[in-house]
Each structure stands twice: as C-alpha cells, then as structure tokens.
Amino acid sequence: MYKTLKLIAALAATCLSALAFADDGARSMRGVDVAAPDQAPEIKPYVGKRPGTEAPVARTFSTQPPVIPHAVENFDEINLEGNQCMDCHSAANYKKKKAPQIGVSHFVDREGKKHAEATGGRYNCVQCHVPQIDAPPLVDNTFKGDAVKKPVKRN
C-alpha cells in the first residue's frame, strides 16, 4: 500500500511539473515564440556612395574577401549574359577605371589552370563580396580579427 501511494504521488508530481513546463512556451534567444513567423527585417540603405568615391574597407581577418565599399542598388543582376562588376574590376579595365583588379585566384580554375578572364567559379562576385549597410550587430561579440593593418594600395 505504501509503495502504491508513493508511486501515485510521484506520478502526480511528474504530471504537474509537465503541465508547468508545457505552459512555458519555448522561446528563442530573440525573446519571441519559436512558432511565430519571423518578422521581415527593415530594409537598410547601403553605406557606400558612387563607385570610386569610397575608400576600401579594412579587412578583419587575413583571408576575408574584400567588402564592396560602394553602392550596388543600380547594378544589374549578375547572370550569364553580363556581370557589371567586370566593367571596372576586370584585368582589361581596372587601370582605366582606377579600380582594384579582381584577385589572381579568380583566374585559376578548379584544376589549377590559369585563364585570361575570371573563371566560372569566381564569376558571381556577390557570392563572397558583400556591400556594407549601417546596422548594429545581431549579437554582441568580442571578435578582434587577425588581419595585419597595412595601407590599402589603390591603382
């Protein structure tokens, strides 16, 4: 009889604690219900202005792709017919446009063969290079980076 009473009490305690936890809906780190749909972020304008008027942005780690320091809103979409980035940054145009040339790694394909133009794997610039917006970090962090601070050379 004592064991049965003890079992019933334990079972009742388990049920009550389960009900208490069930009432406390799961919350994300953002403080919203995890089942609630995400709110669309506010659209923020790019920090950069017209190409050629902004200084390059310092990299925060040595292997970071350079960020795009100018606005890109009026640029055409990158597709098989065209890549407007190449109008200024290609090997043929960068000196005339006084723009940084795309990196030498962009001319090497997967097999290590060098080409005169950017290879297909490096053709979609915004896959790695991103424009900047003025937005606070999503989470606090103490990242310092490991990039050596050296002056950026403009051609």
Side-chain angles (χ1 to χ4, degrees):
M1 175 79 176
Y2 181 71
K3 284 186 178 181
T4 307
L5 195 57
K6 199 173 176 181
L7 181 64
I8 291 172
L11 193 61
T14 303
C15 290
L16 288 174
S17 63
L19 286 174
F21 284 118
D23 187 42
D24 182 30
R27 293 248 182 258
S28 73
M29 291 176 70
R30 294 175 290 188
V32 296
D33 183 3
V34 294
D38 287 338
Q39 294 295 318
E42 173 190 342
I43 296 176
K44 297 187 179 282
Y46 291 116
V47 172
K49 305 290 186 257
R50 198 171 57 81
T53 61
E54 299 291 318
V57 179
R59 300 181 197 194
T60 52
F61 55 95
S62 58
T63 56
Q64 175 188 357
V67 297
I68 303 170
H70 57 76
V72 294
E73 287 103 351
N74 295 327
F75 282 41
D76 296 329
E77 184 178 321
I78 296 171
N79 56 38
L80 292 175
E81 285 80 40
N83 178 342
Q84 206 169 356
C85 301
M86 292 301 135
D87 292 350
C88 296
H89 298 283
S90 69
N93 297 336
Y94 81 97
K95 286 182 181 175
K96 288 184 280 188
K97 297 289 189 167
K98 297 179 182 166
Q101 180 185 7
I102 59 174
V104 293
S105 62
H106 293 56
F107 298 98
V108 181
D109 64 18
R110 290 181 185 181
E111 287 77 39
K113 185 177 173 187
K114 294 181 181 178
H115 297 271
E117 293 295 322
T119 62
R122 302 291 183 108
Y123 186 73
N124 186 4
C125 307
V126 293
Q127 190 170 314
C128 299
H129 305 279
V130 295
Q132 297 301 290
I133 60 169
D134 186 19
L138 296 175
V139 295
D140 290 333
N141 70 73
T142 57
F143 178 76
K144 299 290 184 217
D146 63 356
V148 176
K149 301 290 186 215
K150 59 183 177 181
V152 178
K153 188 176 89 175
R154 301 266 327 210
N155 295 352

